[in-house]
Amino acid sequence: MSFIRSERKCVEILRILKEHQEPIGAKRLSELMSEHGFTLTDRAVQYYLSYLDEMGFTKKIGNHGRVLTSAGIAETERALVDERIGYVISKLERLAFKSNFNPETGKGNVAYNLSCLPESQVDDAIRAFDEVINEKISFFSSYKIIDDDPRIPEGQTGIITVCNITMDGILQNHGIPIKMTFGGTMAVADRKPTGFVNLIGYRGTTVDPLILFINAGHTSIDKVIKTGNGVVLAIVREVPDAAVPTVNNIADAMKEYGFMFPIATGSGIYNVRADPYRTSIIAYSGMNLIGHAVEKGLDIRTELGAGNIPFSIFE
Amino acid sequence: MQRPLKFLNHKIEENALDMTYNPVENTGSVIYNLSLIKSEDTESAIKIFKDAYATGLCVSDRVIFAPSGTKIEGFTIPEGYCGICTLCSLILDSLLYQKGINVNPIGGGLVEVEKLIPRRFTAIIQYEYTTVDPITVMISQGSTSIGDVIESGSGTITGNIRECHMESESAVFEVLDDLIAAGFTGVLDVGAPNTELLGVPVNTNYQGIAMIGGTNPIAAFKETGRWAEVQSMKGLMDISNFSLISDY
């Protein structure tokens, strides 16, 4: 029987392995592949796995199954450029759907980002994070230090921050159609946001806009904290005009629990082009915490949308 | 009243209306990128430019190394800095528009090169979705390994891609031939109609054309750990201001 290897399937296997922290066996992989819409026999999965082993993307851990190698992780970030366009957000949408935080009761799950940095830098990171929170240029007013997650490398500490996608999830749960439009950099003058400097639309990129802006040195969060003037990260979402009162009610209820959004809602505000029937919701990004740590020279790595977690861990 | 931000596709279209470059006569205005480096690094930058050109990583053989004090279209190179002007690969898109060809500039990003052959785009930002040049931010982020391509033929460079209607293929090739004759060496690949190019799909009845990013040599310079600031699509300037890389 002739067999045509599909790059798409190879990458899906790599993505599944990437999403799991523990080794996965061929049988389980075949089940997970079929849940993702790719039907493969166990034998075909074996074939793919031996090919991926040969390429150096996966490796066997005894009889437990396979894990990704660092080359395998890199491949998931490089292969299939066309279908990774917009993937940043479709990956986060999964977490939005599972964010069932209830603004009335303060119970339920939120989506989080996981940052890791050397233990010796944790105190500096805490200082950097707190300054951003005190300046009220974040999405949420707290974070959580953890050290018992298998994703945290040896000698490092993890910090969990609330991901802005939580807001999308909660609004979705209230039946509001919400579009994740832009990530951008916002100019701040006299401690007030004045307008976006740059925007990148989530639907047209394979790389996360906010991480890109941080790494390319487009932020000056520390300057905002010190002088009240500079550039910070902010996001744009769009909802139907009729949903605005509900959005404001939810945002008010969430402020009680330490959420800090939105900056503003409106059409054609802060240099964002207007949609005739949708209102933009503009909010500071939780990534300002991370951006500030990077500006301080800390060696911090962040996985966006690392999972969902009960809100109670922040209380 | 603040105006909405311009996205890259708006800027590209505006440039197409203003540029007057004629590759056959090598006259008129071209779109250029302006990068700044420290004056003391000028010699090493020139060397990297020559290496990059020899490896085929320059859009064109034209460049300006402008010492501090030089005026470039109203901008004076500050004391202690050297300005480097390179031609922008979006000159191609402007020429295609001007020839009446149906062209859609798609986007820019990172291209994986293996043994000097472009293999695939590994990251892309579509022009319609960004107000900042994708290539410039990716260079600032440090995502390239152009030095490796110069040394070993394999690594990651920057590039961009547009698509043209297949009906206009012969007109497209005329433009490409004119550009090559005028010293442009930056065409990475031209795809077949209705076929993806370097992993980027095209619309029905369109074909892709991939170009090298004009700021690749600066990125190679930046990879060596020295300071550089890149501004792509800085403006329009007469081609006669440019010199050959080999003259430096």
Side-chain angles (χ1 to χ4, degrees), chain A residues 78 84 194 198-199 201 204, chain B residues 2 112 120 122 126 129 131:
Chain A
R78 297 174 75 86
R84 280 190 294 114
T194 58
N198 275 307
L199 292 169
Chain B
Q2 287 171 322
E112 189 177 283
R120 58 182 178 179
T122 58
Q126 294 171 344
Y129 288 89
T131 64

Side-chain angles (χ1 to χ4, degrees), chain A residues 7 75 77-82 84-85 181-182 194-207 211-213 215-218 268-274, chain B residues 1-5 7 9-11 111-113 119-132 134 136-138 140-143 155-156 198-201:
Chain A
E7 190 185 5
E75 182 66 10
E77 287 157 9
R78 297 174 75 86
L80 300 178
V81 76
D82 72 310
R84 280 190 294 114
I85 296 173
T181 5
F182 298 110
T194 58
F196 278 98
V197 184
N198 275 307
L199 292 169
I200 296 179
Y202 283 106
R203 293 278 164 218
T205 175
T206 63
V207 283
I211 290 197
L212 193 60
F213 285 128
N215 290 344
H218 280 230
I269 53 171
Y270 292 100
N271 305 347
V272 180
R273 66 180 167 215
Chain B
M1 174 67 194
Q2 287 171 322
R3 297 201 59 189
L5 291 172
F7 284 72
N9 55 326
H10 302 132
K11 297 182 190 174
V111 179
E112 189 177 283
V113 175
R119 226 185 117 212
R120 58 182 178 179
F121 273 89
T122 58
I124 197 165
I125 304 178
Q126 294 171 344
Y127 292 133
E128 266 180 88
Y129 288 89
T130 179
T131 64
V132 56
T136 309
V137 277
M138 287 181 191
S140 313
Q141 181 179 231
S143 313
T156 298
L198 302 175
V200 180

Side-chain angles (χ1 to χ4, degrees), chain A residues 115-127:
Chain A
S115 303
C116 297
L117 80 172
E119 282 164 10
S120 59
Q121 297 182 357
V122 173
D123 290 345
D124 291 337
I126 289 174
R127 210 168 302 125

